[in-house]
Amino acid sequence: MKLKDILSGNFNAAEWERKGYELPKFNIEQVREKTRKEPTWVHFGGGNIFRAFPAAMLNDALNKGQYDRGVIVAETFDYEVIDKAYAPYDNLSLLVSLKGNGTVEKKVIASVTEALKADYQFQDWQRLCDIFRNPSLQQISFTITEKGYGYNEQDLSRGLQPVFALGKVTALLYERYQAGRLPLTVQSMDNCSHNGDRVKAGVLAYAERWVNDGLVPAGFADYVRNKALVTFPWSMIDKITPRPHQKVKELLAADGFEDNEYIETEKHTFTAPFVNAEETQYLVIEDDYTNGRPPLDLGGALYTTRETVDKVETMKVTTCLNPLHTAMSIYGCMLGYTLISAEMQDADIRSFIQKIGYIEAMPVVTDPGVLNPYEFIGAVINKRLPNPFMPDAPQRIAMDTSQKLPIRFGETIKKYIARGLDMSNLQLIPLVLAGYARYLKGVQDDLTPFEPSPDPMLAELQQIVAPLEVGKPEQDYSCLHQLFSRRDVFGLDLYAAGLGEQIEGMVRELFAGKGAVRATLHKYVSQR
């Protein structure tokens, strides 16, 4: 059983279906031909989350027979993804949804009609230019991670052949401008706050620079700013999609599915012909389109107002998911866990994150209306995180923690202050922040070393806590003031917020010696 068989005359559909594989219910070749002539959607970023979520949603819409065009994927960074994960499999992939009840759903995703390399050195660039000149194009979207939205002076000065993703997108928008100022929606689907504004800022930086340098007419920047022609909606996306896992590889091999090899590119992208992901997913999008849109609502997307998107995103990243992830990743690394699902069998950790969400963070949550906060967090704690078939690790979640703390915890503390709420209600959130100081030492609770996850500020913050030693509770902790007053790390000065001394006391307990992390965690969780 191979994906390429599906488009060949040797395909045995009955065998696939007998083994539980859901096959496309639409004519793949007809959809590809229609999309080639009249494309409606180009997506930048061909990684696992795209195939497991947006492409799968479109696949569902196509299966319902209520749409007739697919999505064209364009890769701006790691071109091996196109060569190794798309081209050999006729742009088909397999989505393996791992459910908490132990069942597995296997679905062939055939909504991707073309896979292109978004760079001037490849012939694909001309194809992208042609697509952007086509009046039928309705939206372009992104899952290139927040880092993909960066730009710098060097790239801005390259003219119309930039290297960074948003520079390339701006060059393609210039093609659309030249074709008659055609309307388009530029839709971020990345997991970052107010993501549409991040894209807009980058695109405008290039457009305005090119205008100032005399490379393009002034009208081009006006076109990008014209909300009647080009929009940059916000969205909130949520679906856990770890890198391909050995369990899934073995499961597929047992079925006789042969496209189960791992792919690691030179740029260290980890992918495969299959994608393993959790079943739960949310995509909430601001409904602000200038030229129509693909019907992703048929696949479960929620289209709503910008204000509602903001409320949903705030609910998720400051209360119902992201803070819980970070809390259990910090303590999971120190307690020697390598699986999130295993952590959820730990009574202290489970109670820790449950009480952070329901008791400490929930008082400042605004109900967005389209998703209930209590139901959302209930699904996280009772269904998503305990899923033993989801091979997600605290070490992955702990990446870039210094960049996450201001939003995931700092915003909640700020709201307590702004609303005049009782700060004594905060006990476990301070424990998370105290745990971060102990985590930076790279010493597990059994006193064996571990490697903290990659983080742009790791070395700098480790230097601050370098004077501290695990096993010396009575040592000088004055260095902590330098750490916990950092607004860039925590979103505010924790001493000015009235929490600094409380957190310092918790740090002393965590540094007491072997077993101190467990003892301190159990103590404070039990007190709530």
Side-chain angles (χ1 to χ4, degrees):
M1 296 168 59
K2 294 184 176 183
L3 289 168
K4 287 181 73 72
D5 293 343
I6 293 174
L7 294 174
S8 73
N10 300 321
F11 178 53
N12 186 341
E15 180 185 7
W16 286 66
E17 292 172 348
R18 179 173 56 82
K19 293 182 177 180
Y21 290 74
E22 181 182 323
L23 297 170
K25 297 178 176 63
F26 54 93
N27 187 306
I28 299 172
E29 294 293 359
Q30 286 183 4
V31 167
R32 290 186 174 186
E33 182 60 25
K34 179 75 170 177
T35 306
R36 184 165 188 84
K37 293 178 179 178
E38 299 177 0
T40 55
W41 178 16
V42 174
H43 183 87
F44 292 88
N48 295 329
I49 183 66
F50 163 67
R51 292 187 293 161
F53 199 178
M57 296 179 95
L58 183 62
N59 200 80
D60 289 345
L62 289 165
N63 278 338
K64 292 177 180 178
Q66 298 181 41
Y67 198 57
D68 60 359
R69 271 163 283 189
V71 56
I72 298 163
V73 66
E75 180 59 41
T76 62
F77 173 69
D78 193 341
Y79 307 120
E80 280 188 89
V81 170
I82 301 298
D83 292 332
K84 294 183 177 180
Y86 283 89
Y89 310 102
D90 285 340
N91 298 329
L92 304 175
S93 62
L94 181 72
L95 171 58
V96 182
S97 297
L98 309 169
K99 301 188 176 184
N101 63 7
T103 61
V104 175
E105 180 184 85
K106 298 166 287 190
K107 180 185 298 186
V108 175
I109 305 301
S111 57
V112 178
T113 61
E114 295 177 70
L116 306 173
K117 300 174 185 178
D119 196 90
Y120 316 95
Q121 63 179 306
F122 303 112
Q123 290 183 347
D124 291 351
W125 184 256
Q126 185 56 52
R127 170 60 181 153
L128 280 168
C129 291
D130 292 341
I131 293 169
F132 270 73
R133 294 190 194 107
N134 197 316
S136 65
L137 186 62
Q138 297 175 330
Q139 79 166 15
I140 61 173
S141 57
F142 307 87
T143 52
I144 57 176
T145 77
E146 188 172 1
K147 295 177 183 177
Y149 296 152
Y151 56 92
N152 58 28
E153 174 62 27
Q154 181 180 6
D155 207 51
L156 290 171
S157 65
R158 290 181 187 274
L160 297 180
Q161 290 195 343
V163 172
F164 291 176
L166 292 188
K168 295 175 183 178
V169 168
T170 308
L172 290 167
L173 285 173
Y174 183 55
E175 296 287 337
R176 196 158 183 81
Y177 167 79
Q178 290 181 301
R181 301 173 70 249
L182 300 173
L184 187 68
T185 291
V186 182
Q187 176 69 69
S188 173
M189 295 181 179
D190 273 302
N191 185 21
C192 55
S193 180
H194 302 172
N195 47 22
D197 287 351
R198 298 290 299 274
V199 178
K200 183 177 182 179
V203 169
L204 274 173
Y206 284 96
E208 291 171 351
R209 177 60 176 269
W210 295 348
V211 168
N212 291 337
D213 289 348
L215 300 175
V216 300
F220 176 53
D222 295 336
Y223 163 73
V224 172
R225 293 191 202 96
N226 189 333
K227 295 180 181 179
L229 296 175
V230 182
T231 54
F232 299 84
W234 295 359
S235 72
M236 189 287 291
I237 188 168
D238 182 20
K239 186 179 181 72
I240 301 172
T241 311
R243 62 179 58 172
H245 196 268
Q246 180 66 24
K247 286 185 190 176
V248 179
K249 175 183 172 74
E250 293 170 356
L251 179 151
L252 298 177
D255 284 342
F257 182 80
E258 298 179 44
D259 294 331
N260 54 38
E261 61 273 14
Y262 296 137
I263 299 168
E264 179 181 359
T265 69
E266 290 186 3
K267 292 185 176 179
H268 303 296
T269 299
F270 295 89
T271 185
F274 65 89
V275 182
N276 42 236
E278 68 169 337
E279 59 179 312
T280 305
Q281 58 187 34
Y282 305 94
L283 181 58
V284 185
I285 303 175
E286 177 188 356
D287 197 356
D288 186 15
Y289 288 76
T290 59
N291 197 33
R293 57 172 170 78
L296 293 186
D297 48 327
L298 294 176
L302 297 174
Y303 287 95
T304 184
T305 64
R306 171 169 287 206
E307 181 183 18
T308 300
V309 172
D310 190 39
K311 289 178 180 178
V312 172
E313 196 262 346
T314 300
M315 177 193 79
K316 173 200 163 190
V317 302
T318 66
T319 304
C320 295
L321 175 61
N322 297 20
L324 314 188
H325 248 160
T326 293
M328 66 191 305
S329 71
I330 289 172
Y331 278 84
C333 289
M334 293 191 292
L335 292 172
Y337 283 103
T338 57
L339 283 174
I340 292 292
S341 58
E343 282 193 72
M344 290 301 290
Q345 304 305 311
D346 186 310
D348 287 332
I349 292 179
R350 185 184 182 96
S351 183
F352 183 37
I353 66 168
Q354 186 167 324
K355 291 175 178 179
I356 287 173
Y358 283 123
I359 297 176
E360 299 196 5
M362 195 64 78
V364 297
V365 167
T366 300
D367 188 338
V370 295
L371 293 174
N372 182 284
Y374 288 91
E375 292 177 0
F376 190 103
I377 200 171
V380 168
I381 292 172
N382 299 313
K383 183 178 180 181
R384 301 175 68 182
L385 298 181
N387 187 342
F389 299 95
M390 276 296 296
D392 209 2
Q395 291 75 20
R396 183 187 78 85
I397 304 300
M399 292 176 63
D400 301 329
T401 294
S402 70
Q403 311 298 294
K404 300 170 180 175
L405 294 173
I407 299 297
R408 300 186 179 191
F409 298 102
E411 289 302 309
T412 293
I413 297 170
K414 288 178 184 178
K415 288 177 182 176
Y416 264 75
I417 296 171
R419 299 179 188 183
L421 299 178
D422 185 359
M423 296 292 283
S424 67
N425 189 50
L426 297 177
Q427 297 292 324
L428 300 183
I429 287 177
L431 185 62
V432 176
L433 306 181
Y436 186 54
R438 175 67 168 73
Y439 165 90
L440 289 169
K441 294 299 295 184
V443 179
Q444 291 185 9
D445 200 24
D446 62 4
L447 304 187
T448 59
F450 74 91
E451 185 71 29
S453 300
D455 186 308
M457 299 183 71
L458 181 61
E460 178 184 351
L461 299 180
Q462 283 184 315
Q463 188 62 35
I464 294 176
V465 300
L468 301 180
E469 295 183 42
V470 177
K472 290 188 176 182
E474 301 306 319
Q475 63 194 304
D476 180 4
Y477 287 89
S478 60
C479 63
L480 292 178
H481 197 283
Q482 184 183 352
L483 176 65
F484 292 120
S485 61
R486 292 280 296 261
R487 296 175 183 270
D488 57 336
V489 177
F490 301 101
L492 73 171
D493 180 334
L494 292 167
Y495 292 92
L499 296 173
E501 287 76 14
Q502 175 189 2
I503 295 171
E504 276 193 21
M506 292 173 167
V507 174
R508 289 174 183 267
E509 296 179 66
L510 291 166
F511 271 80
K514 186 175 182 179
V517 173
R518 170 64 67 182
T520 306
L521 175 63
H522 181 74
K523 169 188 170 181
Y524 285 99
V525 166
S526 300
Q527 289 177 353
R528 292 300 283 163

